[in-house]
Amino acid sequence: MPDLENTKRYDPSEVEPRIVEKWLQSGLFHPEPEGTPEENYSVAIPPPNVTGVLHMGHALNNSIQDCLVRYQRMRGRRTKWIVGTDHAGIATQTQVERALAQEGTSRRDLGRETFVERVWKWRSQYGGTIIEQLKRLGASADYDTERFTLDDDYAQAVLKVFVSLYEKGYIYRDRYMVNWDPGTGSAISDLEVEQREVRDTLYYIDYPLATGSGAITVATVRPETMLADSAIAVHPDDERYRRLIGEKAILPLVGRKLKIIADEYVRPEFGTGALKITPAHDPNDFEIGRKHGLPQPSVIGEDGRITAEAPERFQGMTAADAQRAVVAELSQQGLIARTETYGHTVPFSHRSGQRIEPLISLQWFMAMDELAKPAIEAVTSGRVRFHPANQAKVYLDWMENIRPWCISRQLWWGHRLPVWYRDLDTYVGMEPPPGEGWERDPDVLDTWFSSALWPFATLGWPRETPELRAFYPTDALVTARDIIFLWVARMIMMGLEFTGSEPFSDVYITPIIQAPDGRRMSKSLGTGIDPLDLINGGPRPPVFARGGQPPGDFPAYGADAVRWGLLAMSSGQDVSFSEDKVAQGQQLTNKLWNASRLILLGVGPDARAAATPTTVEDRWILSRLERARTELSARIERFDFSHAALGLYDFIYGELCDWYLELVKPRLRAGEPELSSLLLHVLTETIAMAHPLIPFETEEIYSYVPGAEGLLAARVRPPEDGGAVADAAAEEAVQRAIAAVQALRRWRDQAGVRAGATVTARLEAPGYDETLDHILRLARLSLADANGDGAEPVATIAIPDGAVQILPSAELDLDDAQTRIDEQRAKLASEIDRAERKLANEQFVARAPAAVVQAERDKLDRLQAELKAL
RNA sequence: GGGCGCGUAGCUCAGUGGGAGAGCGCUCGCUUCACACGCGAGAGGUCGCUGGUUCGAGCCCAGCCGUGCCCACCA
């Protein structure tokens, strides 16, 4: 325990690790499975990759979830934050394969069984880091029931879902065009493909007509695929080619005859208006081929090499080599009419970064249309709400145009398909089929298939567990935009299909935090920050250097400051990372620490918190506190985290510290018992409302509060009173006093009055009885005694409803004072002029709302009173 | 091609119809007994541009310019 008296600076690196242990040992984060989902509050974490490490996106996402969970826990709800990790098929397998490559071996060398064992070993070695990092961040998740998407129970859920959807006919096997990723050697789904700008060469190739005279010229960026051409298509209305429809052309290099067909898909204005059709290697051609019943010769295999269906001299070449060979032969034969460079977008694998090879493959698919219907309705009906709301449109647009999902992956790390083959028979079931000779399908499921079950499979589904009864459906889902389709949509569909309920009612889409140069935060680009480097202190990457200085290291900001900073950044859909915001969070924690020291060291050990005001400023702070509490709660509930964070800062700095604590210092030194109780009350309520945002420091401070019991994190806050505590009179009185002090300080500063000097003054304004002593002290004035009553003022300062007259004294420079008065007069006069002109405008008086007009009149009256007092 | 955003003080960003704000940075003054990672005061803005609606526009509408992201099968 730090010595409060001598710890003038809050030190998060000393406090935070201690507090984490305290929380974990308390068992507070693990709720018993009791009550109903309506009474309880639950959140399922987006499961990070088991071998992953915390990045800024996680830090933001989990700061937000923890804010929600802690807030609800302190409202008295039983809270369950489901935590765990994802096996992340491709990502994890790739990691391990990379390690194997370094050892000079490969998964093929090891064989499937050994390889999978190796991945499990890898997982036990490197897995779980991120869970420890979540604890360091303060995430109040239920670590006692940590889940993994490859746990035995979880696997049962996955198998059951597969079998059930197969039996319904939604899951089926088909030979279809897929996105083949040569990098991972697997098919991947449409969502794992990204389009990139590429400059290619567009080749114009002459295909001689079968009649022996003339040729039809086609344009292509992938000449090697011509080996698999099965037709040429033109637009039916294209005058240039109409007479050729039904004719045949000779496929160069191969000699096959290609029918010239008509299809409206072809754009006459592109290239030559004639399109070569390669059904096996282009998604569009695949569709056209099916429509026209064309054969689907396939010349590029899953290994990326030319197959036996191509002429022998090309077989075995890589696609790139084949392209060079094809172009060379065509040029030799004079069949390349011309070439041009051509910029366009082509698909790349999001996983391996390699260019997608579209090809026809036998894969497992899932029909989505029927599943999508209720999931669309869930959002249009408002049972699932997106925040911000316009993200619902993104979801709906995708759902309404949903396509089949390729769910099989040619990997070894994942849930293996519960499918067995024997000759022409296929068996699908949770257990292997009886009898001999069955071969299990070697493929595994897309990782997102199992992720889609996360909110209920983690609670024990398909068993009817107490956890499921108590915590499903969950309440909020907090995630990033980029997985709305991959994950959110699929969870809603699966939740509805298998549990009959939406898996959550609110989806909060976090902003994406970008590097200062506008790029994504990414380790490989050098634009990433490790959140732990911010928390504990660590190297600052060069792009985050400030003011032209060398980057140096981050100071150890602490988890509270990082959390607060991230929340404060969270407005809009994209935000630049701002170290200043984290620094502001650090300032806040330091300020709160010192305010707490003032109170705790000042009140004495026997004081107990009680909300008993005795003065106008007491009533003021209670009123302001209640407003701040109410506002903060409302902002958290509507997922407005940046305003929640900034509003908390404003209350602590702008009201509690700048004014209230300054106002009561004399009473604190006098040891007034009622004040001590009130200060403890205000402190306790302040740290309680701040706790969901800055949990560590507030927990630490709470441990020093006399009479406080247990953990702050477990404290149930009194409900907001909805404004009943609001004390308009006290707020008005103190607000006027603040304005007066500020006006007087400004005058002092500009008139050059020495900072420590006390100046004699006379008050010429009504309504300051309760606050006069405070104003005199904070503005360093003393009231004129009876002898000074008749003196001529050397300066007159406008304050609300009147003025303060400054009487002559040695401290004052009279010229400066006069200048100030003149300036103030001019300023007031111009404001009065503005208000008068506004009120003279008949249109304004006639058409503006009465309250607005009245407010303008009141303002004019006030300004005139102030001017008169000068 | 479609969709969603953004453009306000040097920087990062608040501000959804009624006198332009915060944090940081900058200037000036304070070793005031919670905090010098502090306190007090201040300077600094044609609110991207043009037009429109309105008594009144940073805010609403239209167009334009700049910029970011998502979706999409045009060789």
Side-chain angles (χ1 to χ4, degrees):
Chain A
M1 282 287 244
D3 163 16
L4 207 52
E5 180 116 31
N6 294 307
T7 311
K8 294 188 171 187
R9 275 189 62 182
Y10 175 61
D11 179 11
S13 39
E14 187 280 323
V15 171
E16 291 178 352
R18 209 157 31 75
I19 297 289
V20 172
E21 282 312 308
K22 205 162 151 182
W23 285 331
L24 293 176
Q25 281 167 18
S26 74
L28 176 68
F29 301 162
H30 173 69
E32 290 308 315
E34 292 161 8
T36 66
E38 291 73 37
E39 312 164 355
N40 299 338
Y41 186 83
S42 57
V43 169
I45 195 174
N49 180 346
V50 64
T51 61
V53 293
L54 196 72
H55 63 235
M56 206 50 80
H58 294 125
L60 170 64
N61 179 278
N62 289 294
S63 296
I64 288 170
Q65 288 174 84
D66 195 50
C67 180
L68 291 170
V69 166
R70 286 181 186 271
Y71 167 79
Q72 293 291 349
R73 189 182 288 120
M74 294 179 79
R75 293 197 79 85
R77 295 177 79 179
R78 184 180 290 104
T79 56
K80 168 101 176 173
W81 184 0
I82 302 162
V83 72
T85 50
D86 195 291
H87 68 281
I90 293 177
T92 308
Q93 173 159 333
T94 307
Q95 259 184 21
V96 177
E97 286 197 71
R98 209 170 291 145
L100 290 179
Q102 296 233 321
E103 298 167 19
T105 177
S106 74
R107 71 167 157 134
R108 306 267 170 213
D109 292 343
L110 296 183
R112 181 163 189 154
E113 206 172 315
T114 316
F115 176 76
V116 171
E117 275 170 24
R118 182 63 195 266
V119 183
W120 277 103
K121 221 170 101 188
W122 178 274
R123 180 225 174 211
S124 60
Q125 199 173 348
Y126 299 102
T129 304
I130 196 160
I131 298 291
E132 293 310 307
Q133 293 176 326
L134 289 176
K135 292 176 184 167
R136 181 64 187 84
L137 190 67
S140 63
D142 186 356
Y143 299 102
D144 294 356
T145 57
E146 184 185 330
R147 295 285 185 258
F148 180 49
T149 55
L150 275 181
D151 285 341
D152 289 343
D153 284 359
Y154 204 104
Q156 287 300 304
V158 171
L159 297 186
K160 188 176 169 75
V161 164
F162 186 95
V163 172
S164 163
L165 291 174
Y166 175 79
E167 285 169 355
K168 274 190 116 166
Y170 293 174
I171 287 181
Y172 58 92
R173 199 181 194 204
D174 193 11
R175 187 173 289 282
Y176 204 82
M177 173 69 51
V178 298
N179 306 298
W180 187 263
D181 175 7
T184 58
S186 176
I188 59 176
S189 74
D190 296 339
L191 291 174
E192 293 163 299
V193 171
E194 64 187 35
Q195 301 292 326
R196 290 193 204 159
E197 282 289 335
V198 160
R199 293 204 76 75
D200 270 328
T201 303
L202 188 60
Y203 296 90
Y204 286 78
I205 304 169
D206 293 334
Y207 285 27
L209 293 173
T211 56
S213 67
I216 184 163
T217 307
V218 301
T220 179
V221 293
R222 298 203 59 195
E224 71 278 17
T225 65
M226 71 183 289
L227 302 174
D229 282 359
S230 61
I232 291 173
V234 298
H235 194 279
D237 300 335
D238 192 332
E239 294 299 335
R240 295 170 296 177
Y241 299 117
R242 189 174 283 176
R243 65 190 170 78
L244 294 177
I245 295 169
E247 296 287 311
K248 293 207 160 82
I250 309 286
L251 178 59
L253 312 187
V254 178
R256 191 160 61 232
K257 284 186 178 171
L258 305 177
K259 206 169 149 187
I260 298 171
I261 60 172
D263 195 291
E264 308 219 322
Y265 168 78
V266 181
R267 294 195 323 163
E269 68 280 12
F270 188 93
T272 60
L275 174 64
K276 73 188 210 42
I277 302 297
T278 320
H281 300 297
D282 182 278
N284 302 305
D285 294 8
F286 178 77
E287 295 299 333
I288 294 171
R290 281 212 163 179
K291 198 162 129 196
H292 293 269
L294 299 174
Q296 305 172 336
S298 171
V299 297
I300 301 173
E302 293 180 349
D303 57 0
R305 290 175 183 274
I306 303 301
T307 68
E309 288 190 63
E312 200 172 343
R313 61 190 185 280
F314 298 110
Q315 289 174 19
M317 288 182 180
T318 64
D321 287 343
Q323 179 174 106
R324 279 185 283 274
V326 165
V327 169
E329 279 195 38
L330 289 172
S331 322
Q332 201 176 12
Q333 296 181 23
L335 292 175
I336 296 187
R338 61 193 168 97
T339 62
E340 54 192 48
T341 59
Y342 177 60
H344 64 148
T345 61
V346 297
F348 280 77
S349 166
H350 195 253
R351 299 295 161 194
S352 69
Q354 294 213 24
R355 193 160 168 168
I356 291 296
E357 192 64 68
L359 47 81
I360 295 171
S361 175
L362 185 58
Q363 300 283 346
W364 286 87
F365 295 88
M366 190 162 150
M368 305 302 289
D369 305 82
E370 289 305 314
L371 294 166
K373 283 177 192 163
I376 289 169
E377 208 269 332
V379 171
T380 53
S381 69
R383 287 197 303 280
V384 173
R385 296 171 293 275
F386 278 83
H387 311 273
N390 62 12
Q391 294 297 328
K393 185 176 160 47
V394 177
Y395 168 91
L396 290 171
D397 284 349
W398 185 74
M399 290 291 267
E400 280 157 10
N401 298 296
I402 198 159
R403 293 184 299 170
W405 174 14
C406 176
I407 53 174
S408 47
R409 296 288 178 276
Q410 288 65 59
L411 305 173
W412 289 348
W413 177 242
H415 293 278
R416 196 161 170 182
L417 270 61
V419 178
W420 287 261
Y421 309 108
R422 185 172 66 185
D423 301 325
L424 293 175
D425 289 338
T426 298
Y427 173 88
V428 174
M430 294 186 66
E431 302 292 332
E436 298 295 310
W438 290 97
E439 285 278 341
R440 188 168 183 176
D441 192 310
D443 290 354
V444 301
L445 286 163
D446 182 359
T447 295
W448 296 104
F449 187 97
S450 52
S451 312
L453 319 180
W454 183 252
F456 50 95
T458 47
L459 295 171
W461 187 91
R463 288 178 295 119
E464 288 217 10
T465 59
E467 286 76 12
L468 204 56
R469 275 195 301 276
F471 301 118
Y472 186 87
T474 66
D475 291 273
L477 179 79
V478 179
T479 192
R481 266 205 316 286
D482 51 356
I483 53 176
I484 291 179
F485 310 139
L486 281 167
W487 193 47
V488 180
R490 287 163 177 173
M491 274 193 290
I492 296 176
M493 289 187 275
M494 292 301 194
L496 287 166
E497 173 71 15
F498 289 99
T499 71
S501 357
E502 294 80 10
F504 32 73
S505 48
D506 292 276
V507 180
Y508 175 69
I509 302 297
T510 67
I512 290 176
I513 299 187
Q514 297 171 326
D517 57 6
R519 292 186 294 172
R520 285 180 98 90
M521 275 204 165
S522 145
K523 206 176 205 172
S524 51
L525 292 174
T527 54
I529 293 179
D530 181 342
L532 294 176
D533 286 339
L534 281 173
I535 293 174
N536 298 319
R540 181 190 279 112
V543 284
F544 296 95
R546 305 153 113 193
Q549 299 294 311
D553 277 7
F554 291 120
Y557 285 114
D560 282 335
V562 171
R563 292 169 56 123
W564 187 91
L566 288 171
L567 293 177
M569 281 174 232
S570 293
S571 60
Q573 66 173 18
D574 294 302
V575 291
S576 298
F577 177 80
S578 159
E579 187 180 342
D580 285 344
K581 278 280 186 294
V582 175
Q584 195 180 346
Q586 185 195 30
Q587 280 188 321
L588 176 67
T589 56
N590 197 52
K591 192 73 174 175
L592 182 58
W593 180 251
N594 280 295
S596 304
R597 286 178 62 233
L598 173 70
I599 294 171
L600 294 169
L601 294 171
V603 297
D606 299 329
R608 288 296 177 271
T612 314
T614 56
T615 65
V616 66
E617 70 269 16
D618 289 353
R619 291 189 287 127
W620 175 77
I621 195 64
L622 288 178
S623 188
R624 299 306 304 172
L625 173 67
E626 191 59 18
R627 272 186 211 279
R629 249 161 51 87
T630 306
E631 218 161 61
L632 184 63
S633 295
R635 284 166 170 168
I636 292 173
E637 295 204 16
R638 77 174 101 96
F639 303 96
D640 183 4
F641 300 102
S642 67
H643 290 106
L646 293 166
L648 176 69
Y649 181 97
D650 286 342
F651 172 75
I652 291 175
Y653 256 81
E655 304 194 296
L656 181 61
C657 294
D658 286 354
W659 294 102
Y660 184 66
L661 293 181
E662 293 302 329
L663 289 170
V664 301
K665 269 180 182 173
R667 295 165 61 204
L668 185 62
R669 286 193 207 105
E672 186 188 301
E674 293 85 356
L675 177 70
S676 289
S677 301
L678 186 69
L679 281 169
L680 284 181
H681 168 80
V682 170
L683 177 63
T684 307
E685 288 311 313
T686 299
I687 59 176
M689 78 174 174
H691 185 263
L693 291 86
I694 46 173
F696 290 99
E697 182 192 30
T698 48
E699 189 71 78
E700 174 74 358
I701 293 170
Y702 188 69
S703 71
Y704 291 97
V705 173
E709 288 171 5
L711 290 171
L712 180 62
R715 187 186 162 98
V716 176
R717 304 149 24 116
E720 290 91 12
D721 77 342
V725 169
D727 187 331
E731 292 205 23
E732 163 85 18
V734 173
Q735 193 46 54
R736 281 154 33 102
I738 289 173
V741 170
Q742 286 174 329
L744 291 162
R745 282 173 173 169
R746 192 177 312 126
W747 171 79
R748 287 181 65 111
D749 207 59
Q750 296 189 347
V753 179
R754 193 168 55 79
T758 298
V759 173
T760 314
R762 189 158 54 208
L763 176 70
E764 297 288 341
Y768 286 93
D769 298 347
E770 287 181 301
T771 55
L772 181 58
D773 287 346
H774 293 309
I775 293 170
L776 295 176
R777 182 168 55 85
L778 295 176
R780 294 191 182 239
L781 303 179
S782 65
L783 280 189
D785 56 23
N787 296 337
D789 270 359
E792 273 300 296
V794 294
T796 306
I797 297 113
I799 64 172
D801 295 321
V804 168
Q805 295 178 341
I806 305 296
L807 302 182
S809 91
E811 301 287 350
L812 300 176
D813 178 323
L814 299 182
D815 289 344
D816 271 354
Q818 189 56 46
T819 308
R820 285 291 305 151
I821 297 177
D822 292 344
E823 279 173 12
Q824 262 199 317
R825 274 216 184 93
K827 192 178 164 206
L828 278 173
S830 97
E831 286 188 40
I832 287 169
D833 180 53
R834 195 192 145 282
E836 279 174 341
R837 271 187 290 124
K838 202 164 180 180
L839 286 165
N841 181 342
E842 284 174 28
Q843 298 276 28
F844 172 72
V845 178
R847 303 205 190 184
V852 173
V853 177
Q854 191 53 48
E856 202 63 34
R857 289 208 172 100
D858 293 346
K859 181 164 51 178
L860 181 59
D861 289 346
R862 205 182 67 235
L863 292 170
Q864 281 169 337
E866 287 174 24
L867 184 61
K868 196 172 160 208
L870 286 182

